[in-house]
Amino acid sequence: MRLILLGPPGAGKGTQAVSVAKEFSIPHISTGDIFRLNIKQGTQLGLKAKSILDSGLLVPDDLVVEIVEDRLKQEDCKNGFLLDGFPRTIVQAKSLDTILNNSNISLNFAINIQVDKSILVERAVGRRICKECGATYHVLFKPSKNPDSCELCGGELYQRPDDNEKTVSKRIEVYLRETAPLIEYYKSSGVLATIDGQKPIDMVLEEIFKLLRKDKV
Ligand code: ADP
Ligand code: ADP
Ligand code: ZN
């Protein structure tokens, strides 16, 4: 199964990606996670990416494409993959098409998780992430059973520096300008599937499973 997840910041891509990747035994490739890991480790890439992520703008296309191209060459992508947060521009989408064409493969679905702009800020600002295992929580919609620590591993929960109201608004603006045109792009290539992302987390997942495997409900 070769999938991409489209949707504005806070739509629920990462949350759904974890469950979908597990169910279909495919790697979950989040470009945002790759940048955050590099920032944490202080690599050259991390040093370049930090101020861009903090500002809510996009990392340059050539840099992101190179990272994804390398990642897709790895052995664990042989049976498929789930791209979360890539592509984010038409240039990136075209590059991905070229990469896949060169290997004679294509996408099964581009899943567009649709959420009204009005609730995105609340979703992103309330997001909390485990420092140790990366699990995602929400202060209201998916609170950890332990106060202030991860219910899975006990790790400390933190808020992404770009999950403040001002930067989230900027990211939504960037999404509308740069990424939303991909919806038409994938509609034209016949792989677009739209999912209502405003329902509770379990119901959104059920809809995605219904799409990917009819007997999975
Ligand atoms: P994205 O990867 O698209 O930015 P996330 O999956 O990290 O989004 O979700 C953003 C925040 O919203 C997280 O705190 C998550 O727990 C919460 N969330 C995700 N899906 C839902 C949903 N269907 N209903 C309510 N809250 C959700
Ligand atoms: P979101 O919750 O907004 O979907 P991500 O974790 O996917 O957040 O991305 C966080 C940031 O990482 C983006 O605001 C952007 O700066 C950078 N980034 C992630 N993926 C890409 C990409 N495909 N192209 C350019 N920048 C990216
Ligand atoms: Zn954890």
Side-chain angles (χ1 to χ4, degrees):
M1 190 72 79
R2 288 178 294 271
L3 305 170
I4 65 176
L5 283 185
L6 285 176
K13 300 182 297 297
T15 301
Q16 300 301 332
V18 171
S19 306
V20 173
K22 193 169 165 205
E23 181 64 24
F24 290 91
S25 304
I26 50 177
H28 167 204
I29 303 170
S30 157
T31 40
D33 284 350
I34 293 172
F35 292 128
R36 282 185 290 276
L37 182 65
N38 277 274
I39 292 170
K40 193 172 158 189
Q41 295 175 337
T43 65
Q44 282 296 328
L45 173 65
L47 292 176
K48 264 192 225 169
K50 170 133 181 59
S51 60
I52 303 176
L53 264 75
D54 285 349
S55 70
L57 297 174
L58 294 181
V59 174
D61 287 330
D62 51 352
L63 204 57
V64 191
V65 168
E66 194 188 322
I67 289 165
V68 172
E69 187 165 18
D70 284 348
R71 182 63 188 85
L72 291 178
K73 280 183 194 147
Q74 288 176 28
E75 191 59 33
D76 63 343
C77 294
K78 287 275 179 296
N79 294 322
F81 51 80
L82 193 174
L83 284 168
D84 161 13
F86 180 94
R88 254 179 159 96
T89 64
I90 294 282
V91 170
Q92 292 179 18
K94 288 185 173 164
S95 303
L96 178 63
D97 280 349
T98 306
I99 293 167
L100 299 180
N101 281 338
N102 287 343
S103 301
N104 286 316
I105 53 177
S106 55
L107 292 173
N108 295 92
F109 291 103
I111 303 174
N112 178 31
I113 304 183
Q114 210 167 37
V115 173
D116 264 10
K117 200 177 160 184
S118 56
I119 66 169
L120 292 173
V121 176
E122 189 184 22
R123 285 230 186 137
V125 171
R127 169 162 48 196
R128 297 292 182 272
I129 298 169
C130 172
K131 255 187 189 158
E132 302 302 324
C133 75
T136 299
Y137 297 93
H138 191 283
V139 289
L140 296 177
F141 308 136
K142 193 179 186 269
S144 170
K145 290 189 184 106
N146 305 337
D148 303 324
S149 68
C150 176
E151 67 186 35
L152 299 174
C153 76
E156 193 188 326
L157 301 184
Y158 79 101
Q159 187 176 22
R160 276 168 46 180
D162 58 344
D163 275 345
N164 59 76
E165 205 167 326
K166 186 164 169 256
T167 312
V168 173
S169 302
K170 181 76 203 169
R171 284 156 55 205
I172 294 170
E173 202 187 296
V174 170
Y175 165 83
L176 291 172
R177 193 175 60 233
E178 306 277 349
T179 312
L182 296 184
I183 295 171
E184 272 308 311
Y185 182 87
Y186 286 114
K187 198 189 260 180
S188 305
S189 56
V191 293
L192 185 77
T194 301
I195 297 285
D196 177 3
Q198 309 215 137
K199 294 180 183 161
I201 292 172
D202 291 356
M203 289 178 69
V204 177
L205 182 62
E206 212 171 281
E207 260 198 62
I208 297 176
F209 280 164
K210 227 192 272 184
L211 167 78
L212 299 180
R213 210 157 79 187
K214 297 271 186 255
D215 62 356
K216 200 64 219 166
V217 281

